[in-house]
Amino acid sequence: MAYSLTLGAIAFFLAVIWGRPLINLLVRNRIGKQIRIEGPTTHQVKTGTPTMGGLMILIPVIVITSALNIANLLGWNIIGRSVLVPMTVLLLFGLLGAVDDLEGVRGRRSKGEGILGRWKALAQIILATLVVLFLHFVLDLRSVAVPGIREKIEIGLWYIPAAVFIVVAFSNAVNLTDGLDALAGSLAASAFTCYGVIAFLQQQVWLVAFCFTLVGAIMAFLWFNAHPAELFMGDTGSLALGATLAVVALMTGQWLLLPVVAAVYTAETVSVTLQVLWFKLSRRLYGQPRRLFKMAPLHHHFELTGWSETQVTQRFWLVGILCGMLGIALALL
């Protein structure tokens, strides 16, 4: 654990040091966030804030993890290969998010739109499937831990569709939550800390190190993303963090706890799903669409009820910490 915490501190300082040059580079190249007009009007002042800030997280983590595991990679040690899986997921989904961010800034579609939703979803499913096949057939992961049951339950080939769904779902969940300053990042730091502790309890040393390296880099990003944000993570960060969190959960076997540990992400996704379904259903039932929430995702609903952006972020973060504590408690069962 001392080794892992030290890596987290190193990742923090490396990311903070190059944070300002990254922001200047993004500003110089006019890679600024386009705020969609259907969002809260108070967010329009954020237009032009540099996006693609996920690079501040991804690059230090990838550099540190690669440097520490080069010997394992060359020797094809199973421990080295296992920790390279979440690192590869971080890279691949980060690249997908970067393309989406650039398309949203400079693409031919409406500003802020990014890649067509169906094409992005297809890319996420393909990437998730490739990763899960590796987990299942190479690392031999095919079970799930259930709180209160000592032995993990083997689910065979059902592991593949379940795991693909989890990776895609949480990749989008973090993306949906990334709408307020420091919200998605603070929740990600809490969730990776929780799974780092769970991995430590399982003595998965390399996975613990990876989790806390990520936490350090995320904290450095939050240094610049604190309200009022100088930098947004964009899809570059949100897609990568969500997918990587899901893969870490799968590697610990405690993926049933993911909706608990990442309860706020789950609630944000459910709020969007319910809003869309009720909007369509009510139009058929009553002749005009109705809404369950003032606006979805959930954080916008609370903004429109009178909470300030800082209040929403801090209160959601507190809920995230408490849910993470509950998740660790359930893992100990």
Side-chain angles (χ1 to χ4, degrees):
M1 181 61 80
Y3 168 76
S4 301
L5 294 175
T6 302
L7 286 180
I10 293 172
F12 173 84
F13 286 114
L14 287 179
V16 163
I17 288 170
W18 92 290
R20 183 60 58 188
L22 174 63
I23 292 174
N24 294 337
L25 177 65
L26 294 172
V27 170
R28 227 174 12 249
N29 287 276
R30 298 181 180 179
I31 302 177
K33 180 69 174 178
Q34 302 297 313
I35 306 299
R36 299 176 66 170
I37 58 174
E38 60 266 31
T41 56
T42 54
H43 287 213
Q44 295 304 315
V45 297
K46 300 182 180 184
T47 299
T49 302
T51 188
M52 291 183 70
L55 292 172
M56 187 184 297
I57 301 170
L58 270 60
I59 292 178
V61 174
I62 291 170
V63 168
I64 291 172
T65 305
S66 298
L68 293 174
N69 288 278
I70 189 67
N72 299 88
L73 176 63
L74 294 176
W76 288 106
N77 185 290
I78 194 67
I79 297 177
R81 280 193 292 171
S82 67
V83 80
L84 289 173
V85 174
M87 187 192 76
T88 302
V89 171
L90 191 73
L91 174 61
L92 292 178
F93 277 83
L95 288 174
L96 174 62
V99 173
D100 193 36
D101 284 334
L102 288 173
E103 184 68 18
V105 174
R106 299 179 176 176
R108 289 175 292 181
R109 302 179 68 219
S110 299
K111 294 296 184 181
E113 291 292 326
I115 303 172
L116 279 171
R118 61 176 177 270
W119 291 117
K120 183 162 72 171
L122 178 61
Q124 288 174 296
I125 292 171
I126 291 172
L127 291 176
T129 301
L130 292 174
V131 171
V132 170
L133 289 175
F134 187 90
L135 291 175
H136 184 69
F137 292 108
V138 179
L139 298 186
D140 200 32
L141 298 181
R142 58 189 71 231
S143 62
V144 57
V146 179
I149 299 178
R150 184 178 298 273
E151 298 295 331
K152 292 181 180 179
I153 299 175
E154 296 282 339
I155 59 174
L157 290 176
W158 287 106
Y159 180 90
I160 296 174
V164 170
F165 172 77
I166 290 169
V167 173
V168 174
F170 275 89
S171 176
N172 287 309
V174 178
N175 186 232
L176 289 171
T177 307
D178 184 29
L180 300 181
D181 296 350
L183 178 58
S186 60
L187 291 169
S190 300
F192 277 108
T193 298
C194 292
Y195 271 104
V197 172
I198 291 173
F200 176 74
L201 294 172
Q202 298 176 348
Q203 298 183 347
Q204 296 196 56
V205 180
W206 289 98
L207 194 58
V208 179
F210 178 81
C211 286
F212 281 99
T213 303
L214 251 178
V215 170
I218 293 170
M219 287 182 172
F221 167 76
L222 290 171
W223 183 277
F224 298 98
N225 187 236
H227 183 75
E230 299 178 72
L231 179 70
F232 297 146
M233 72 166 64
D235 285 18
T236 306
S238 60
L239 294 183
L241 290 177
T244 305
L245 177 63
V247 168
V248 167
L250 289 166
M251 293 179 68
T252 63
Q254 295 284 1
W255 44 274
L256 280 185
L257 297 179
L258 193 52
V260 178
V261 172
V264 176
Y265 290 142
T266 305
E268 295 269 29
T269 306
V270 170
S271 72
V272 172
T273 304
L274 291 177
Q275 184 87 319
V276 172
L277 291 177
W278 179 241
F279 190 87
K280 294 180 178 179
L281 181 60
S282 61
R283 183 163 50 192
R284 291 187 178 183
L285 293 175
Y286 305 110
Q288 60 181 7
R290 299 181 181 181
R291 291 179 171 84
L292 285 173
F293 306 99
K294 292 179 180 295
M295 185 178 290
L298 195 59
H299 56 263
H300 288 326
H301 169 81
F302 284 102
E303 274 192 290
L304 295 179
T305 62
W307 291 15
S308 70
E309 182 171 352
T310 304
Q311 284 178 317
V312 176
T313 297
Q314 291 183 346
R315 288 170 179 171
F316 276 33
W317 177 58
L318 291 172
V319 172
I321 292 175
L322 289 172
C323 291
M325 292 166 59
L326 177 59
I328 294 174
L330 291 173
L332 289 171
L333 294 178

